[in-house]
Amino acid sequence: MKYDIAIVGAGVVGASIAYNLIPYDVSVLLLDKNNDVAMGATRANSAIIHAGYDPKPGTLMARLNVEGNRLCEKLCADLSVPFKRCGSFVLAFSDAERNTLQDLFDRGVKNGVPDLRILDAEELREMEPGIGEEAVAALYAPSAGIVNPWELCLAQAEVFVRNGGEFIGNAEVTDIQKTGDIYTIQTGAGAFEAENVILACGIQADAVHEFIEKPDFQIVPTRGEYFLLDKCEGSKAAHVIFQCPSEKGKGVLVAPTVHGNLICGPTSEVLQGDIEDTATTAEKLAEIKQKAALSVGNISWRDNVRNFS
Ligand SMILES: Cc1cc2nc3c(=O)[nH]c(=O)nc-3n(C[C@H](O)[C@H](O)[C@H](O)COP(=O)(O)OP(=O)(O)OC[C@H]3O[C@@H](n4cnc5c(N)ncnc54)[C@H](O)[C@@H]3O)c2cc1C
């Protein structure tokens, strides 16, 4: 069978595209190299629906972040996926970091993030009593939220399949050739033909793109390790608590999860060689403990449920 559209990769991006194609009169094939959906970065991230003060103003990412945040509540309600608009803080621990908060605030206003405020230490502690003693101010973004990212992916894929879409797992794409207007996609589950191919294969997107032509982008595969703590620790944070971002990303956060646990992490480590290595390391986990303790002082690490990356 020849499909109108083949999507390579059934993470949250591929599944969202498949879900959004349901109303159109097109045949759609969703392929993944794993035996299920949501087996990549989608199942192992911080689960934050960011407010949108971080992306550079004027970029597509800035516009889509703020618009996506706004749409997320209804999307999750439609799909019965847990979502909570709990709000987020970015903490400042020094005067220099207060300036960073002001920069993030200005950027957020330009991006259209609603209701941003800079809080002094007193107001911050009223809203989040367990906050680390050294925090002197915070950027408050009430529109930030938390979600269950793998359920968001799974629900969209399920509705797509129930509406006639096709998902094929164990179908690693190993080559793509174009003859005339048709792409032939070679996979571990056989060959498929499609008029259009959408690549949504996460950290493999550049490698798969190479089958057709050289990509004009480069993926920098970056591993982040986490602690997931028991529900008895879940009340230690009512908001997503970030520290000031650095050139390595958004830094270590402490946040509640939609299931009532506490999540701490991630680290940020560029991987060479096996870019899908999801090991955790004693060194990086120690780094999380040390950094998270600045944000929330009394985390009981012995109540760890598991580590992942
Ligand atoms: C540490 C960390 C924390 C993050 N925290 C957040 C956060 O809090 N909020 C947020 O919005 N974003 C966060 N992100 C980013 C977010 O996780 C990703 O943007 C998102 O998961 C990407 O989804 P995806 O579908 O593109 O990729 P993936 O979920 O990785 O899915 C790609 C899919 O492609 C498949 N695939 C790969 N190669 C092939 C092939 N050759 N053939 C067939 N299938 C293939 C894989 O099996 C996989 O299922 C974080 C990322 C990291 C690393």
Side-chain angles (χ1 to χ4, degrees), residues 7-15 31-34 36-50 145 147 149 153 168 171-174 186-187 199-205 207-208 211 222-226 242 250 253 265-268 276 309:
I7 303 165
V8 184
V12 74
V13 173
L31 293 167
D32 202 283
K33 67 176 179 173
N34 280 297
D36 204 349
V37 305
M39 298 293 278
T42 293
R43 70 171 175 169
N45 56 58
S46 306
I48 313 302
I49 300 297
H50 292 284
V147 72
C153 176
I168 300 181
E172 177 165 1
V173 172
T174 51
Q186 302 292 340
T187 82
L199 301 184
C201 30
I203 54 167
Q204 300 289 356
V208 176
F211 295 143
T222 309
R223 177 168 70 183
E225 301 185 24
Y226 289 91
F242 295 103
K250 297 186 180 72
L253 60 81
T267 49
S268 174
E276 296 194 345
S309 78

Side-chain angles (χ1 to χ4, degrees), residues 3-264:
Y3 295 86
D4 293 318
I5 300 169
I7 303 165
V8 184
V12 74
V13 173
S16 298
I17 294 167
Y19 177 74
N20 280 282
L21 285 170
I22 292 173
Y24 298 91
D25 185 19
V26 285
S27 55
V28 182
L29 172 66
L30 179 61
L31 293 167
D32 202 283
K33 67 176 179 173
N34 280 297
N35 67 354
D36 204 349
V37 305
M39 298 293 278
T42 293
R43 70 171 175 169
N45 56 58
S46 306
I48 313 302
I49 300 297
H50 292 284
Y53 50 75
D54 203 41
K56 203 168 149 209
T59 60
L60 186 64
M61 190 168 181
R63 183 167 70 73
L64 297 184
N65 186 157
V66 177
E67 190 180 334
N69 176 300
R70 190 173 48 77
L71 295 174
C72 206
E73 197 153 0
K74 178 169 185 319
L75 174 67
C76 288
D78 287 349
L79 294 164
S80 300
V81 169
F83 168 79
K84 194 172 171 198
R85 206 175 280 289
C86 57
S88 70
F89 297 129
V90 182
L91 303 183
F93 294 101
S94 64
D95 284 342
E97 288 193 342
R98 271 187 219 266
N99 295 335
T100 306
L101 297 190
Q102 189 60 50
D103 291 345
L104 293 174
F105 176 89
D106 294 344
R107 228 191 293 171
V109 170
K110 282 190 192 141
N111 291 348
V113 179
D115 305 323
L116 282 174
R117 275 198 299 141
I118 295 183
L119 310 180
D120 61 21
E122 196 183 335
E123 202 176 350
L124 171 61
R125 284 199 176 77
E126 260 169 39
M127 291 176 71
E128 191 73 84
I131 217 83
E133 283 170 13
E134 291 170 45
V136 292
L139 175 69
Y140 175 46
S143 63
I146 50 176
V147 72
N148 180 337
W150 66 89
E151 230 178 293
L152 181 57
C153 176
L154 180 59
Q156 292 183 103
E158 228 171 65
V159 177
F160 161 71
V161 170
R162 272 198 237 146
N163 281 276
E166 203 170 334
F167 168 68
I168 300 181
N170 294 318
E172 177 165 1
V173 172
T174 51
D175 196 17
I176 304 177
Q177 295 295 330
K178 192 173 185 195
T179 313
D181 285 340
I182 304 297
Y183 292 97
T184 304
I185 307 160
Q186 302 292 340
T187 82
F192 301 96
E193 289 188 337
E195 276 182 39
N196 302 278
V197 181
I198 298 173
L199 301 184
C201 30
I203 54 167
Q204 300 289 356
D206 52 356
V208 176
H209 198 290
E210 287 268 359
F211 295 143
I212 306 189
E213 59 180 35
K214 256 206 146 2
D216 61 0
F217 60 90
Q218 194 198 353
I219 304 273
V220 182
T222 309
R223 177 168 70 183
E225 301 185 24
Y226 289 91
F227 278 88
L228 181 69
L229 291 121
D230 192 275
K231 289 180 183 167
C232 64
E233 289 299 287
S235 60
K236 296 270 167 79
H239 305 80
V240 178
I241 305 169
F242 295 103
Q243 298 176 358
C244 278
S246 70
E247 74 285 350
K248 280 191 145 188
K250 297 186 180 72
V252 165
L253 60 81
V254 177
T257 72
V258 287
H259 300 112
N261 299 74
L262 191 75
I263 188 168
C264 303

